Amino acid sequence: MTTSTSTHYRSCPLCEASCGLSLTVDGEQRVTRIAGDAADSFSRGFICPKGAALHHLHEDRDRLPGPQVRRGDDPDSARWESVSWEEAFAEVERRLTPIMDAHGRDAVAAYLGNPNTHNPAAPLYIRPLLKALGTRNIFSASTVDQMPKHVSSGLLFGDSNSIPVPDLDRTDLLLMLGANPWESNGSLCTAPDFPGRLRSIQDRGGRFVVVDPRRTRTAEHADEHIPIRPGTDALLLLGMLQVVCAEGLVRLGRLEPLVQGMSSLHDWVRPFSPDKVAPRTGVPAATIARLARALAQAERAVVYGRLGTHTVESGTVAAWAVDVLNLVTGHLDEPGGAMWPLAAHQRPGRGRGPGFSTGRYHSRVRQYPEVRGEFPVATLADEIATPGQGQVKALVTVAGNPVLSTPDSGRLDRVLRQLSFMVSVDPYRNETTRHAHVILPPPPPLSRSHFELAFAQLAVRNVVKWSPALLPPRGPSEAEILARLSLIAGGQGAAADPALVHTLLERGLLASRIKHHPALTDHDVDALRDRLWARAPEDRCYEVMVRLGAYGDQFGQVAGGLTLEQLSTEPHGVDLGPLRPRLPELLRTASGMVEVATAPIGKAVAELAASLETARPEGFVLIGRRDLRWNNSWMHNVPILARGRRRCTLHMHPQDAAELGLSEGQTAHVASRVGRIAAPVEVTDSIMRGVVSLPHGFGHDLPNVALSVAAANAGVNTNVLTDPERLDSLSGNAVLNGIPIRLSAHDLSAGDEPS
Ligand SMILES: Nc1nc2c(c(=O)[nH]1)N[C@H]1C(S)=C(S)[C@@H](COP(=O)(O)OP(=O)(O)OC[C@H]3O[C@@H](n4cnc5c(=O)[nH]c(N)nc54)[C@H](O)[C@@H]3O)O[C@H]1N2
Ligand SMILES: Nc1nc2c(c(=O)[nH]1)N[C@H]1C(S)=C(S)[C@@H](COP(=O)(O)OP(=O)(O)OC[C@H]3O[C@@H](n4cnc5c(=O)[nH]c(N)nc54)[C@H](O)[C@@H]3O)O[C@H]1N2
Ligand code: SF4
Ligand SMILES: [Mo]
């Protein structure tokens, strides 16, 4: 036995911040300690409790050791059996193929959860899987999250992935809505040590303002906290736009020749004077006007809106208004404003493209338009439960827990039982995967390489890093699991060689990347493949992207250009500099302009204007919240993170609690149009009156869930209350914040629900 220890550096894959970690590994190949990597080019030593517990997550005893097959029809009482990988894939083929043959491609649905964005192999390998399935019934966590921002970016800039991020390190004024980075560590804005970067704004004489119905930890540190009535950010932002337009504060600067639709914008925002929107938002008219003027007059300023701004009924209008405010006040694509990174795996664009649209086809039951090739996950249960041609009979989930994370999840939990077959790629048997017939557990995060695909495109600096796998995997990689599922879905069978998919991906990536390449168009794809340095299939894809990316060596054509081999010698990452202006090159609209006034937004803004004339909604509304020590539904099983006081509580203002006769720790009964729950009250003046808050991701007490630590502190599932019919119409995103509810100290009887 050897006792020597070694230190390794790699990125934390658990949230968007992608912090550099320093891991101590003992002679037995066990990680004994994790600290922040002080030399990391981006995070400079920052770490949070989740990153420091990554090895505990890696070693979680409840992580499934291998594939499992369910024996028995009732997920509440069924027995689970460990099988070999070959048996598991054979079982998938045996049960999935007949359903596709008998009922057609749309009879199989797919749900893709959030951790797919944290695993770079997933976006690469999910594409061939979805292609092989050939189904239109694709759902993901995007429609309980950021879909509004995709739609607004698509409409404005022609590319739904071109989301501008606040240039935190150079701004002097940040107006932040519906985000709580002190707990979340940031979202659609990759900025390790987000809190430290906010403090730096203050240290250099700037300030940041938080708009949130709760006085969050972020709001406590802010220079100003502005409480807002949930669901009304679009009105506040339109009010600010009205002030900017009416007071002649519009300043497009160098973007003037690149902007289309300004006269419509002036017309659209006219009805939204601060006086009109103040009673709706709860934000005083004078505050709205003051914020607008401050933004317009600041040299370096930026508006940033996140989850609380997006997961509401006018999420897309709010997302659009954020960018338009930045644009008209001269803060878009400018240092200190909202800018776009250019990641190492990306290439600059050509300033024009096909543009963005939605609704190429519609969902079967509720006729929701397709958005980025998906339907709202809020309608997944409808597609399973409603008989007829095209009914969903089978489901593939990858890294998702919709039974806790999506609307009306009590119903989803019931209707998943109707499926003829379900297969889940997931390390745990949890609330969702207990419904599966086969569970295929991927290796834990320390057993795979890491390269930022998603978040490098959202980072506040251009940075690149590649972390090779640290510990050997016990079974097939997630890439291989997904490749084998693709082969089954594509009819090649369970025994087909996954190398077929690896090669297809590699060749496809190379071919598309050299197609318009000035120096490589004539090159042979296979000759270039022979020159790849990496061995693992997913690493070879990252290598192609890096070498043919904006800073790459272009296969030897650019001296000193990046290669993956070079990145293997840079465990702290490579800093590629601050964000640089990208307009017009990044645009993919048909006009080659920023299209401010597209028809879908115009219609939605007109509807909002009309709503100002109707009666103001009354009654309690429910919002969510996050906590630094867990991530959505799946980190409650790590003892060191689960310790401490009870956290699945209903936050309530002291006066509201007094009026309802509720006090600290007592049970509150909560009913919405679709469900009811009971939760312990936590009285706090950090939440505004008329609003209560409950975190999501709890409710671990369902039968046959194998999460021993989480089950001991099960909590309640707030999404039992979320109404599946309340969506942001432009994006299909669920309304998770601002849900009308009824509250009582006593059991609520049927008929008590708000309408
Ligand atoms: N009420 C309310 N609901 C919400 C939200 C809210 O704020 N309020 N937030 C929403 C948001 S922003 C999101 S993103 C969604 C999340 O929704 P989901 O993605 O559906 O849920 P998660 O809880 O993230 O579940 C992640 C699943 O992935 C598995 N997993 C973890 N690591 C891996 C891996 O490496 N590979 C694979 N294959 N699986 C893995 C976990 O075991 C778990 O089953 O929830 C949404 N739901
Ligand atoms: N520790 C931890 N980190 C996480 C996650 C986690 O679960 N735990 N989840 C990750 C994921 S998947 C995501 S998407 C990100 C999300 O990260 P953030 O976007 O920062 O989201 P939250 O932390 O949920 O903060 C949203 C805030 O919006 C407020 N809010 C609610 N309704 C409204 C409204 O109508 N208007 C305004 N202005 N505010 C409102 C809430 O009170 C809350 O403080 O976090 C990621 N990071
Ligand atoms: S903030 Fe925490 S969870 Fe997120 S990347 Fe950093 S260490 Fe990991
Ligand atoms: Mo999310």
Coordinates of all heavy atoms in Angstrom, one line a residue, residues 438-499:
V438 N -36.1 0.6 -16.8 CA -34.7 0.4 -16.8 C -34.0 1.7 -16.4 O -34.3 2.7 -17.0 CB -34.2 -0.1 -18.2 CG1 -32.7 -0.3 -18.2 CG2 -34.9 -1.3 -18.7
I439 N -33.1 1.6 -15.5 CA -32.3 2.8 -15.1 C -30.8 2.5 -15.5 O -30.3 1.5 -15.1 CB -32.3 3.1 -13.6 CG1 -33.8 3.2 -13.1 CG2 -31.6 4.4 -13.3 CD1 -33.9 3.5 -11.6
L440 N -30.2 3.4 -16.2 CA -28.8 3.3 -16.7 C -28.0 4.4 -16.0 O -28.1 5.5 -16.4 CB -28.8 3.5 -18.2 CG -29.7 2.5 -19.0 CD1 -29.8 3.0 -20.5 CD2 -29.2 1.1 -18.9
P441 N -27.2 4.0 -15.0 CA -26.5 5.0 -14.2 C -25.2 5.4 -14.9 O -24.3 4.5 -15.1 CB -26.3 4.4 -12.9 CG -26.2 2.9 -13.1 CD -27.1 2.7 -14.3
P442 N -24.9 6.7 -15.2 CA -23.7 7.1 -15.8 C -22.6 7.2 -14.7 O -22.9 7.2 -13.5 CB -24.0 8.5 -16.3 CG -25.1 9.0 -15.5 CD -25.9 7.8 -15.0
P443 N -21.3 7.3 -15.1 CA -20.3 7.4 -14.0 C -20.4 8.8 -13.4 O -20.9 9.7 -13.9 CB -19.0 7.4 -14.8 CG -19.4 6.9 -16.2 CD -20.8 7.2 -16.4
P444 N -19.9 8.9 -12.1 CA -20.0 10.1 -11.4 C -19.0 11.2 -12.0 O -18.1 10.8 -12.8 CB -19.6 9.8 -10.0 CG -18.9 8.4 -10.1 CD -19.4 7.8 -11.3
P445 N -19.2 12.5 -11.6 CA -18.5 13.6 -12.3 C -17.0 13.5 -12.3 O -16.3 13.9 -13.3 CB -19.0 14.8 -11.6 CG -19.8 14.4 -10.5 CD -20.2 13.0 -10.7
L446 N -16.4 12.9 -11.2 CA -14.9 12.8 -11.2 C -14.3 11.8 -12.2 O -13.1 11.7 -12.4 CB -14.4 12.6 -9.8 CG -14.7 13.7 -8.8 CD1 -14.3 13.4 -7.4 CD2 -14.0 15.0 -9.2
S447 N -15.2 11.0 -12.7 CA -14.8 9.9 -13.7 C -15.0 10.4 -15.1 O -15.1 9.5 -16.0 CB -15.5 8.6 -13.4 OG -15.2 8.2 -12.1
R448 N -15.2 11.6 -15.4 CA -15.4 12.1 -16.8 C -14.6 13.3 -17.0 O -14.3 14.1 -16.0 CB -16.8 12.3 -17.1 CG -17.5 13.4 -16.4 CD -18.9 13.6 -16.9 NE -19.5 14.8 -16.3 CZ -20.7 14.8 -15.7 NH1 -21.4 13.8 -15.5 NH2 -21.1 16.0 -15.2
S449 N -14.2 13.6 -18.2 CA -13.5 14.8 -18.5 C -14.5 16.0 -18.5 O -15.7 15.8 -18.5 CB -12.8 14.7 -19.8 OG -13.7 14.6 -20.8
H450 N -14.0 17.2 -18.4 CA -14.9 18.4 -18.4 C -14.3 19.4 -19.3 O -13.1 19.8 -19.3 CB -15.0 18.9 -16.9 CG -16.2 19.8 -16.8 ND1 -17.5 19.4 -16.8 CD2 -16.2 21.2 -16.8 CE1 -18.3 20.5 -16.8 NE2 -17.6 21.6 -16.8
F451 N -15.2 20.0 -20.1 CA -14.9 21.1 -21.0 C -16.2 21.9 -21.1 O -17.2 21.4 -21.3 CB -14.5 20.5 -22.3 CG -14.2 21.6 -23.3 CD1 -12.9 22.2 -23.3 CD2 -15.1 22.1 -24.2 CE1 -12.6 23.2 -24.2 CE2 -14.8 23.1 -25.1 CZ -13.5 23.7 -25.1
E452 N -16.1 23.2 -20.8 CA -17.3 24.0 -20.8 C -17.8 24.3 -22.2 O -17.2 25.1 -22.9 CB -17.0 25.4 -20.1 CG -17.2 25.3 -18.6 CD -18.5 24.6 -18.2 OE1 -19.5 24.6 -19.0 OE2 -18.6 24.1 -17.1
L453 N -18.9 23.7 -22.6 CA -19.5 24.1 -23.9 C -20.6 25.1 -23.6 O -20.5 26.2 -24.2 CB -20.1 22.8 -24.5 CG -19.2 21.9 -25.2 CD1 -20.0 20.7 -25.7 CD2 -18.4 22.5 -26.3
A454 N -21.5 24.8 -22.7 CA -22.6 25.7 -22.5 C -22.2 27.1 -21.9 O -22.5 28.1 -22.4 CB -23.7 25.1 -21.7
F455 N -21.4 27.0 -20.8 CA -21.2 28.2 -20.0 C -20.1 29.1 -20.5 O -20.1 30.2 -20.1 CB -21.1 27.8 -18.5 CG -22.2 27.0 -18.1 CD1 -22.1 25.8 -17.4 CD2 -23.5 27.5 -18.3 CE1 -23.2 25.0 -17.0 CE2 -24.6 26.7 -17.9 CZ -24.5 25.5 -17.3
A456 N -19.2 28.5 -21.3 CA -18.2 29.4 -21.9 C -18.9 30.5 -22.8 O -18.3 31.6 -23.0 CB -17.2 28.6 -22.6
Q457 N -20.1 30.1 -23.2 CA -20.8 31.1 -24.1 C -21.6 32.1 -23.2 O -22.3 32.9 -23.8 CB -21.8 30.4 -25.0 CG -21.1 29.4 -25.9 CD -22.2 28.8 -26.9 OE1 -23.0 29.5 -27.5 NE2 -22.1 27.5 -27.0
L458 N -21.5 32.0 -21.9 CA -22.3 32.9 -21.0 C -21.3 33.5 -20.0 O -21.8 34.1 -19.0 CB -23.3 32.1 -20.3 CG -24.4 31.5 -21.2 CD1 -25.2 30.4 -20.4 CD2 -25.4 32.6 -21.7
A459 N -20.0 33.4 -20.2 CA -19.1 33.8 -19.2 C -18.7 35.3 -19.3 O -18.8 35.9 -20.4 CB -17.8 33.0 -19.3
V460 N -18.4 35.9 -18.1 CA -18.1 37.3 -18.1 C -16.7 37.6 -18.6 O -16.3 38.8 -18.6 CB -18.4 38.0 -16.7 CG1 -19.9 37.8 -16.4 CG2 -17.5 37.4 -15.6
R461 N -15.9 36.5 -18.8 CA -14.6 36.7 -19.5 C -14.4 35.5 -20.5 O -15.1 34.5 -20.3 CB -13.4 36.6 -18.5 CG -13.0 37.8 -17.8 CD -11.8 37.7 -17.0 NE -10.6 37.9 -17.7 CZ -10.0 39.1 -18.0 NH1 -10.6 40.2 -17.5 NH2 -8.9 39.2 -18.7
N462 N -13.7 35.7 -21.5 CA -13.4 34.6 -22.4 C -12.3 33.7 -21.7 O -11.2 34.2 -21.4 CB -12.9 35.1 -23.7 CG -14.1 35.8 -24.5 OD1 -15.2 35.3 -24.5 ND2 -13.8 37.0 -25.0
V463 N -12.7 32.5 -21.4 CA -11.8 31.6 -20.7 C -11.9 30.2 -21.3 O -13.0 29.9 -21.9 CB -12.1 31.5 -19.2 CG1 -11.7 32.7 -18.5 CG2 -13.5 31.2 -19.0
V464 N -10.9 29.4 -21.2 CA -11.0 28.0 -21.7 C -10.3 27.1 -20.8 O -9.2 27.4 -20.3 CB -10.6 27.8 -23.1 CG1 -9.2 28.2 -23.3 CG2 -10.8 26.4 -23.6
K465 N -10.8 25.9 -20.5 CA -10.2 24.9 -19.7 C -10.6 23.5 -20.0 O -11.8 23.3 -20.4 CB -10.5 25.2 -18.2 CG -9.9 24.4 -17.2 CD -9.9 25.1 -15.9 CE -10.3 24.2 -14.7 NZ -10.4 25.0 -13.5
W466 N -9.7 22.6 -20.0 CA -10.1 21.2 -20.2 C -9.6 20.4 -19.0 O -8.4 20.5 -18.7 CB -9.5 20.7 -21.5 CG -9.8 19.2 -21.7 CD1 -11.0 18.6 -21.9 CD2 -8.9 18.1 -21.7 NE1 -10.9 17.3 -22.1 CE2 -9.6 16.9 -21.9 CE3 -7.5 18.0 -21.5 CZ2 -9.0 15.7 -22.0 CZ3 -6.9 16.8 -21.5 CH2 -7.6 15.6 -21.8
S467 N -10.5 19.6 -18.4 CA -10.1 18.8 -17.2 C -10.3 17.3 -17.6 O -11.4 16.9 -17.9 CB -10.9 19.1 -16.0 OG -11.1 20.4 -15.8
P468 N -9.2 16.6 -17.7 CA -9.3 15.2 -18.0 C -10.0 14.4 -16.9 O -10.1 14.9 -15.7 CB -7.9 14.7 -18.2 CG -7.0 15.6 -17.5 CD -7.8 16.9 -17.5
A469 N -10.6 13.2 -17.1 CA -11.2 12.4 -16.1 C -10.1 12.2 -15.0 O -8.9 11.9 -15.3 CB -11.7 11.1 -16.6
L470 N -10.5 12.3 -13.7 CA -9.6 12.1 -12.6 C -9.6 10.6 -12.2 O -8.5 10.1 -11.9 CB -10.0 13.0 -11.5 CG -9.1 12.9 -10.2 CD1 -7.7 13.3 -10.5 CD2 -9.7 13.8 -9.1
L471 N -10.7 10.0 -12.0 CA -10.8 8.7 -11.5 C -11.4 7.8 -12.5 O -12.2 8.2 -13.4 CB -11.7 8.6 -10.2 CG -11.3 9.6 -9.1 CD1 -12.3 9.6 -8.0 CD2 -9.9 9.2 -8.5
P472 N -11.0 6.5 -12.5 CA -11.5 5.6 -13.6 C -13.0 5.3 -13.4 O -13.5 5.2 -12.3 CB -10.7 4.3 -13.4 CG -10.2 4.4 -12.0 CD -10.1 5.8 -11.6
P473 N -13.8 5.3 -14.5 CA -15.2 5.0 -14.4 C -15.4 3.5 -14.1 O -14.6 2.6 -14.4 CB -15.7 5.3 -15.8 CG -14.6 5.2 -16.7 CD -13.3 5.4 -15.9
R474 N -16.6 3.2 -13.5 CA -16.9 1.8 -13.2 C -17.6 1.1 -14.3 O -17.5 -0.1 -14.5 CB -17.7 1.7 -11.9 CG -16.9 1.8 -10.6 CD -17.8 1.6 -9.4 NE -18.7 2.7 -9.3 CZ -18.8 3.5 -8.2 NH1 -17.9 3.3 -7.2 NH2 -19.6 4.5 -8.2
G475 N -18.3 1.9 -15.1 CA -19.1 1.3 -16.2 C -18.9 2.2 -17.5 O -17.9 2.9 -17.5
P476 N -19.7 2.0 -18.5 CA -19.6 2.8 -19.7 C -19.8 4.3 -19.4 O -20.5 4.7 -18.4 CB -20.7 2.3 -20.6 CG -21.7 1.6 -19.7 CD -20.9 1.1 -18.5
S477 N -19.1 5.2 -20.2 CA -19.3 6.6 -20.0 C -20.7 7.0 -20.4 O -21.4 6.2 -21.1 CB -18.3 7.3 -20.9 OG -18.7 7.1 -22.3
E478 N -21.1 8.2 -20.0 CA -22.4 8.7 -20.4 C -22.5 8.8 -21.9 O -23.6 8.5 -22.5 CB -22.8 10.0 -19.7 CG -24.2 10.4 -19.9 CD -24.8 11.1 -18.7 OE1 -24.1 11.4 -17.7 OE2 -26.0 11.4 -18.8
A479 N -21.4 9.2 -22.5 CA -21.4 9.3 -24.0 C -21.8 7.9 -24.6 O -22.5 7.8 -25.5 CB -20.1 9.8 -24.5
E480 N -21.1 6.9 -24.0 CA -21.4 5.6 -24.6 C -22.8 5.1 -24.3 O -23.4 4.5 -25.2 CB -20.4 4.6 -24.0 CG -20.4 3.2 -24.6 CD -19.3 2.3 -24.2 OE1 -18.2 2.8 -23.9 OE2 -19.5 1.1 -24.3
I481 N -23.3 5.4 -23.2 CA -24.7 5.0 -22.9 C -25.6 5.6 -23.9 O -26.5 5.0 -24.5 CB -25.1 5.4 -21.4 CG1 -24.2 4.6 -20.4 CG2 -26.6 5.1 -21.2 CD1 -24.4 5.1 -19.0
L482 N -25.4 6.9 -24.1 CA -26.3 7.6 -25.0 C -26.1 7.1 -26.4 O -27.1 7.0 -27.2 CB -26.1 9.2 -24.9 CG -26.4 9.8 -23.6 CD1 -26.0 11.2 -23.5 CD2 -27.9 9.7 -23.3
A483 N -24.9 6.8 -26.8 CA -24.6 6.3 -28.1 C -25.4 5.0 -28.3 O -26.0 4.7 -29.4 CB -23.1 6.1 -28.4
R484 N -25.3 4.1 -27.3 CA -26.0 2.8 -27.5 C -27.5 2.9 -27.5 O -28.2 2.2 -28.3 CB -25.5 1.9 -26.3 CG -24.0 1.6 -26.5 CD -23.6 0.5 -25.6 NE -24.2 -0.8 -25.9 CZ -23.8 -2.0 -25.4 NH1 -22.8 -2.0 -24.5 NH2 -24.4 -3.1 -25.7
L485 N -28.0 3.9 -26.8 CA -29.5 4.2 -26.9 C -29.8 4.7 -28.3 O -30.9 4.3 -28.8 CB -29.9 5.2 -25.8 CG -30.0 4.7 -24.4 CD1 -30.4 5.8 -23.4 CD2 -30.9 3.5 -24.2
S486 N -29.0 5.5 -28.9 CA -29.2 6.0 -30.2 C -29.3 4.8 -31.2 O -30.1 4.8 -32.1 CB -28.1 6.9 -30.7 OG -27.8 7.9 -29.7
L487 N -28.3 3.9 -31.0 CA -28.3 2.8 -32.0 C -29.5 1.9 -31.8 O -30.1 1.4 -32.8 CB -27.0 1.9 -31.7 CG -25.7 2.7 -32.1 CD1 -24.5 2.0 -31.5 CD2 -25.6 2.8 -33.7
I488 N -30.0 1.7 -30.6 CA -31.2 1.0 -30.4 C -32.4 1.7 -31.1 O -33.2 1.1 -31.8 CB -31.5 0.7 -28.9 CG1 -30.4 -0.2 -28.3 CG2 -32.9 0.1 -28.7 CD1 -30.5 -0.3 -26.8
A489 N -32.5 3.0 -30.8 CA -33.6 3.8 -31.3 C -33.5 3.8 -32.9 O -34.6 3.9 -33.6 CB -33.6 5.2 -30.8
G490 N -32.3 3.8 -33.4 CA -32.1 3.9 -34.9 C -32.3 2.5 -35.5 O -32.1 2.4 -36.7
G491 N -32.6 1.5 -34.8 CA -32.8 0.2 -35.4 C -31.6 -0.7 -35.5 O -31.7 -1.8 -36.0
Q492 N -30.4 -0.2 -35.1 CA -29.2 -1.1 -35.2 C -29.0 -2.1 -34.1 O -28.2 -3.0 -34.2 CB -27.9 -0.2 -35.3 CG -27.7 0.4 -36.7 CD -28.0 1.9 -36.7 OE1 -29.0 2.3 -36.2 NE2 -27.1 2.7 -37.3
G493 N -29.8 -1.9 -33.1 CA -29.9 -3.0 -32.1 C -28.9 -2.7 -30.9 O -28.0 -1.9 -30.9
A494 N -29.2 -3.5 -29.8 CA -28.5 -3.3 -28.6 C -27.0 -3.8 -28.7 O -26.2 -3.4 -27.9 CB -29.2 -4.1 -27.5
A495 N -26.7 -4.6 -29.7 CA -25.4 -5.1 -29.7 C -24.5 -4.3 -30.7 O -23.3 -4.5 -30.8 CB -25.4 -6.6 -30.2
A496 N -25.1 -3.3 -31.3 CA -24.3 -2.5 -32.2 C -23.1 -1.7 -31.5 O -23.3 -1.4 -30.3 CB -25.2 -1.5 -33.0
D497 N -22.1 -1.5 -32.2 CA -20.9 -0.9 -31.7 C -21.0 0.6 -31.5 O -21.3 1.3 -32.5 CB -19.7 -1.2 -32.6 CG -18.4 -0.7 -32.0 OD1 -18.4 0.0 -31.0 OD2 -17.3 -1.0 -32.6
P498 N -20.9 1.2 -30.3 CA -21.1 2.6 -30.1 C -20.1 3.4 -30.9 O -20.3 4.6 -31.1 CB -20.9 2.8 -28.6 CG -20.3 1.6 -28.1 CD -20.7 0.5 -29.0
A499 N -19.0 2.8 -31.3 CA -18.0 3.5 -32.1 C -18.6 4.1 -33.4 O -18.2 5.1 -33.9 CB -16.8 2.6 -32.5

